[in-house]
Amino acid sequence: MPAADRWNDHYQQGKGFRPVTEEEVALLTERLGPGAGRRALDLGCGTGEYAAALRGLGFTTTGVDFSQIAVATAQDRHRDYDGLDFRPMDTDRGGLSLLPTGRFDLVTCRLFLPFVDLVPTVACARRLLVPGGRLLVTTPLAERQPAGWESIGLRSAALDLLRSFTWADVSEYPLDDLLCLLLTTHPALERTSR
């Protein structure tokens, strides 16, 4: 079953996903600072709570998701927010290629990367970032999940692969039972000198 169908079924049944916590918003505030009109892209936005939290910090935010039902719910729940846009997009089938290169200061992948092909998704996310932009990955660790639930988290090898991309900086922060990785691309001067 294609990812879009799977996630549409999930949201059609009235299911949600892990709620955004105050601790997550505090971490965003501490590590990212005020959005001040910077542009953010929330991959796998679901019903939009994390994208709305980014907007609350001042980021002009676009949320994309496989599920048209989740996107419709996000649009309905957050329709009064200026600077917050939601779009259905199949990231596994080239959807991210429709977005302009170097457009976003921040790309977030909250509880998303275990459900997509990691390498092309991260490569596309990097392409979408401005020089010096940041990719924020929030994920459970597969090895810490109960039996049968390992697929909702990234394995150590996937995290090592993610870290192995050429980043100017890699910072990691524990958040309850999650791991947050803040990965910063190289500034323009470093990129052009290579």
Side-chain angles (χ1 to χ4, degrees):
M1 175 184 293
D5 292 342
R6 237 183 5 257
W7 287 106
N8 276 327
D9 286 348
H10 175 87
Y11 289 108
Q12 184 70 44
Q13 294 172 28
K15 296 178 182 176
F17 222 60
R18 185 179 180 142
V20 177
T21 65
E22 289 179 21
E23 291 81 12
E24 281 183 272
V25 176
L27 180 75
L28 288 173
T29 304
E30 178 184 332
R31 299 299 173 185
L32 301 176
R38 292 182 289 163
R39 294 177 302 260
L41 174 66
D42 184 24
L43 299 179
C45 68
T47 55
E49 289 77 15
Y50 202 67
L54 291 168
R55 181 64 193 121
L57 293 177
F59 287 90
T60 299
T61 306
T62 301
V64 298
D65 199 277
F66 292 111
S67 169
Q68 292 186 2
I69 293 170
V71 169
T73 301
Q75 290 168 336
D76 185 54
R77 286 183 184 172
H78 307 288
R79 66 177 165 264
D80 296 332
Y81 284 67
D82 289 332
L84 185 56
D85 177 41
F86 295 101
R87 302 176 194 175
M89 186 173 290
D90 192 338
T91 58
D92 266 350
R93 298 187 183 222
L96 293 178
S97 66
L98 302 174
L99 297 171
T101 298
R103 169 110 173 122
F104 298 97
D105 301 283
L106 173 69
V107 174
T108 61
C109 298
R110 180 185 184 267
L111 313 177
F112 175 69
L113 284 182
F115 302 105
V116 295
D117 195 350
L118 181 100
V119 171
T121 301
V122 172
C124 283
R126 284 175 57 101
R127 179 188 62 78
L128 297 172
L129 286 167
V130 300
R134 295 168 156 179
L135 173 64
L136 177 61
V137 175
T138 304
T139 184
L141 303 175
E143 291 86 355
R144 294 188 186 169
Q145 300 309 306
W149 287 92
E150 297 89 350
S151 65
I152 69 164
L154 290 178
R155 297 196 172 279
S156 296
L159 290 168
D160 289 342
L161 181 60
L162 180 59
R163 293 177 190 110
S164 74
F165 280 78
T166 306
W167 303 104
D169 185 62
V170 176
S171 302
E172 300 185 17
Y173 312 96
L175 181 67
D176 297 324
D177 62 334
L178 303 173
L179 177 65
C180 298
L181 289 91
L182 186 58
L183 309 153
T184 306
T185 61
H186 290 278
L189 292 177
E190 288 184 46
R191 279 190 179 174
T192 57
S193 66
R194 291 189 168 172

